[in-house]
Amino acid sequence: MFAPIVIIWLVSIFSIGLYNIIFWNPKIVRAISPYYIIKFFRETGKDGWFSLGGILLSVTGTEAMFADLGHFTALSIRLAFAFVVYPCLVVQYMGQAAFLSRNPQKVLNSFYDSIPGPVFWPIFVIATLATIVGSQAIITATFSLIKQCHALGCFPRVKVVHTSKHIRGQIYIPEINWILMILTLAITIGFRSTTLIGNAYGLACITVMFITTFLMALVVTFVWQRSVLLAAMFLVFFWFSEGVYLSSALMKVPQGGWVPLVLSVIFMLVMYIWHYGTRKKYNFDLHNKVSLKWLLGLGPSLGIVRVPGIGLIYSELATGVPAIFSHFVTNLPAFHKVLVFVCVKSVPVPYVSPEERFLIGRVCPRPYRMYRCIVRYGYKDIQRDDGDFEDQLIQSIAEFIQMEAGDAQFCSSESSSYDGRLAVISSRTIQSSSSLIVTEREDCDGIESIQSSKSLMSLRSAYPDDENPGVRRRHVRFEVAASPGMDTGVREELMDLIEAKEAGVAYIMGHSYVKARRSSSYLKKLVIDMGYSFLRKNCRGPSVALNIPHINLIEVGMIYYV
């Protein structure tokens, strides 16, 4: 419904503006000439400069359109702005000016007073609906920014709901939506004045423009590889025009302009504390890695019983063995036959192609059956809970094993370090593998559609599943291809991998508690023990954010003294 409402609203204000121009003062069309802004400043002086803070509000509404660039193409925004929004707004403002030229006493409520009587209430209803649609642009932009900040490690984990299976980037964040609602109500009830709210909004928008211009100059220099002189000319030209508006808007700080400044400081503190605590935790993991020499000394059995199954050990480390592994080994006398150290990384690019998604490597010699998998996502990529991750992981490891056997570079030196040598494994379809034969079948209501005993059938008829009737799930089964030229060691390793997959997959994560050292300063203790701990307790858990099945999750308690 949003698009029709906006179109009706734009056509309405265009029609009203055109009517006012013709009815009240057709000569107002001359006001589009730059001569009149020069005349305006020459006659008003300081008062004219001070009024720029209010004039800015005629620009800020259109600026919100560009907040949707993350959801629509740049060309669509340009076409909509140049051929629809801009002409309608200019004609509407000309109509208001024509109306005020004959009715100067009605300046306080010029828009609604300029509406002809017979169409006042229809326009009032459309204006209310358009206001709701206008707020959607800010809400949507906030969702996109929060998601990207989280992917870059600058914001606590929140629930991200992907509302479309086909359109990339359509997301909804419930927590942020509630925060926006509370802040909106608080500001509206607290100010009870559109003038004060306008001052706050104007200062926020012009500050964003001012900072964006500076960042754009960096893009010109470092991304587009243009000369510094061109970037400086761009910066000076736009900073001069924006600086005039910013200086005027800063005069409105006591009259409502302080609100965006206070909110920006609060959110900046949240982002800084989260990023600081996360980096400290990562550095602790980095400096307390399990040495490969100690691991090799345990032997292929790791000095414990290797039980059937696959253990996926999640860690933020891209190299080395995390401290939670040694903590787990020393406290539990058993571990899975196949171990995979999984590291999910959000890289600072919008999208990662499927061909570059998985990096697979080996942590220890072949008899240990220990691998590393780095899964890379861009900050705009969608991490769907489609249930195919385990199958894709097994497929990638199998392809790596086969590729490693035929690559002399990987097999040339048994004494060199195994960790750190990774290969990009393209995430093809499961049927494309040459090392594994894959069969698929569907499960009905979570129970495989194979022959069942009469007792089981009678039990299912007596207790039917009313909640999810007819639910079908895809079940993938792997088999080693009958290739006479396959190396014996490769075949044995693939067989172990398949047997472990059939035995089950367990997800192992660290349940960490981050605390500041006793020798730390009071400020650091305040940030870590109170600020960061509060944020960690009140954000989504890493297992939920990574879509890890709760029934297969094992958490290892760890205390990080940073």
Side-chain angles (χ1 to χ4, degrees):
M1 296 175 62
F2 280 4
I5 290 174
V6 173
I7 293 174
I8 294 173
W9 167 247
L10 291 174
V11 171
S12 300
I13 64 174
F14 179 86
S15 303
I16 294 172
L18 190 62
Y19 167 81
N20 287 328
I21 292 173
I22 297 173
F23 184 79
W24 293 107
N25 189 0
K27 295 181 180 180
I28 201 68
V29 295
R30 299 178 183 175
I32 201 169
S33 170
Y35 164 76
Y36 289 96
I37 190 65
I38 300 173
K39 184 179 179 181
F40 173 77
F41 283 122
R42 187 171 60 236
E43 294 185 0
T44 57
K46 183 179 178 181
D47 292 335
W49 164 76
F50 194 75
S51 68
L52 288 178
I55 296 173
L56 178 66
L57 295 177
S58 65
V59 183
T60 54
T62 62
E63 186 267 344
M65 278 193 63
F66 297 93
D68 275 337
L69 276 176
H71 301 269
F72 302 97
T73 62
L75 180 61
S76 64
I77 296 290
R78 293 187 186 120
L79 292 176
F81 181 77
F83 296 102
V84 181
V85 177
Y86 182 74
C88 293
L89 290 176
V90 169
V91 172
Q92 167 56 216
Y93 285 133
M94 280 185 179
Q96 287 189 53
F99 173 79
L100 289 175
S101 66
R102 299 289 185 264
N103 305 276
Q105 72 280 4
K106 296 185 177 182
V107 66
L108 294 178
N109 199 19
S110 60
F111 173 72
Y112 285 107
D113 288 338
S114 66
I115 299 175
V119 296
F120 176 83
W121 287 110
I123 296 297
F124 182 83
V125 173
I126 296 173
T128 305
L129 295 175
T131 303
I132 298 173
V133 177
S135 65
Q136 179 265 347
I138 301 299
I139 297 170
T140 306
T142 305
F143 291 163
S144 297
L145 288 172
I146 293 298
K147 181 180 181 296
Q148 295 176 20
C149 286
H150 167 245
L152 296 174
C154 297
F155 202 82
R157 292 179 295 269
V158 290
K159 181 179 182 180
V160 179
V161 179
H162 299 279
T163 57
S164 175
K165 295 182 179 179
H166 308 289
I167 302 176
R168 186 189 297 270
Q170 297 291 334
I171 61 173
Y172 167 68
I173 304 178
E175 297 93 335
I176 301 301
N177 199 51
W178 280 99
I179 292 174
L180 285 175
M181 185 197 74
I182 294 171
L183 290 176
T184 302
L185 292 176
I187 292 174
T188 305
I189 296 172
F191 279 162
R192 289 177 291 180
S193 169
T194 55
T195 302
L196 298 179
I197 295 176
N199 293 338
Y201 186 52
L203 179 60
C205 285
I206 192 60
T207 306
V208 169
M209 295 179 186
F210 197 74
I211 296 173
T212 304
T213 300
F214 174 74
L215 296 176
M216 191 65 200
L218 297 180
V219 170
V220 171
T221 305
F222 296 105
V223 180
W224 295 351
Q225 299 294 323
R226 301 295 178 88
S227 66
V228 179
L229 180 61
L230 180 64
M233 292 172 60
F234 170 85
L235 195 64
V236 170
F237 176 78
F238 283 99
W239 262 12
F240 175 77
S241 57
E242 292 170 354
V244 175
Y245 282 96
L246 179 62
S247 61
S248 175
L250 287 174
M251 302 299 294
K252 306 293 181 66
V253 170
Q255 291 85 34
W258 57 270
V259 171
L261 298 179
V262 171
L263 291 177
S264 62
V265 169
I266 293 174
F267 280 101
M268 184 189 70
L269 286 175
V270 170
M271 295 172 67
Y272 176 79
I273 290 173
W274 180 261
H275 185 264
Y276 178 78
T278 303
R279 294 301 302 175
K280 286 293 182 181
K281 179 179 176 294
Y282 178 79
N283 290 333
F284 180 91
D285 275 331
L286 202 62
H287 292 99
N288 291 273
K289 293 189 295 187
V290 178
S291 66
L292 198 59
K293 184 178 179 181
W294 175 81
L295 202 59
L296 294 173
L298 296 177
S301 67
L302 300 179
I304 55 178
V305 178
R306 300 294 291 271
V307 298
I310 297 178
L312 302 182
I313 305 172
Y314 276 77
S315 170
E316 296 180 2
L317 297 179
T319 59
V321 179
I324 64 167
F325 177 75
S326 63
H327 190 62
F328 193 99
V329 168
T330 54
N331 286 277
L332 215 65
F335 224 106
H336 298 86
K337 191 173 184 179
V338 175
L339 297 176
V340 183
F341 294 94
V342 181
C343 177
V344 179
K345 287 292 183 182
S346 293
V347 292
V349 296
Y351 305 107
V352 175
S353 62
E355 292 76 18
E356 300 177 351
R357 179 85 64 202
F358 291 94
L359 281 171
I360 303 294
R362 194 183 292 278
V363 177
C364 287
R366 183 176 292 179
Y368 287 71
R369 304 292 192 257
M370 298 175 65
Y371 311 94
R372 182 180 305 282
C373 174
I374 298 178
V375 190
R376 299 179 293 184
Y377 292 97
Y379 55 81
K380 286 189 177 182
D381 273 324
I382 299 175
Q383 303 180 33
R384 292 194 181 278
D385 185 15
D386 51 13
D388 290 337
F389 176 75
E390 294 177 8
D391 299 328
Q392 293 175 2
L393 180 61
I394 299 303
Q395 182 71 15
S396 300
I397 294 175
E399 291 181 9
F400 168 77
I401 293 171
Q402 191 179 27
M403 183 192 67
E404 183 190 39
D407 193 344
Q409 180 183 358
F410 280 92
C411 305
S412 59
S413 176
E414 288 290 328
S415 61
S416 62
S417 174
Y418 289 88
D419 199 13
R421 297 184 298 176
L422 300 169
V424 178
I425 306 296
S426 59
S427 56
R428 313 169 197 163
T429 57
I430 295 180
Q431 291 83 357
S432 65
S433 173
S434 60
S435 58
L436 296 182
I437 298 176
V438 180
T439 57
E440 298 183 20
R441 57 185 172 187
E442 287 187 343
D443 300 348
C444 184
D445 294 326
I447 300 177
E448 294 183 8
S449 55
I450 59 178
Q451 280 192 340
S452 303
S453 64
K454 293 183 179 179
S455 60
L456 178 59
M457 294 297 291
S458 61
L459 182 65
R460 291 188 61 196
S461 61
Y463 300 97
D465 187 0
D466 294 330
E467 294 182 359
N468 297 306
V471 174
R472 295 187 176 272
R473 296 180 177 85
R474 192 166 62 92
H475 183 74
V476 177
R477 187 179 182 87
F478 296 95
E479 295 179 6
V480 179
S483 176
M486 184 180 295
D487 182 71
T488 307
V490 173
R491 180 179 294 274
E492 182 182 349
E493 190 170 3
L494 290 176
M495 288 295 298
D496 288 344
L497 182 64
I498 294 173
E499 290 175 3
K501 172 65 169 64
E502 293 296 326
V505 179
Y507 296 80
I508 302 162
M509 297 191 68
H511 189 84
S512 57
Y513 299 89
V514 182
K515 296 183 178 181
R517 295 191 183 96
R518 292 183 178 180
S519 58
S520 301
S521 64
Y522 177 77
L523 181 60
K524 184 177 179 180
K525 290 180 179 178
L526 182 67
V527 170
I528 297 295
D529 294 344
M530 296 186 63
Y532 185 69
S533 296
F534 175 81
L535 293 177
R536 279 184 63 86
K537 290 177 182 177
N538 290 276
C539 72
R540 300 191 92 202
S543 60
V544 180
L546 295 172
N547 296 320
I548 294 177
H550 185 71
I551 194 172
N552 298 340
L553 177 63
I554 301 173
E555 289 188 310
V556 183
M558 286 284 294
I559 298 180
Y560 291 77
Y561 289 100
V562 298

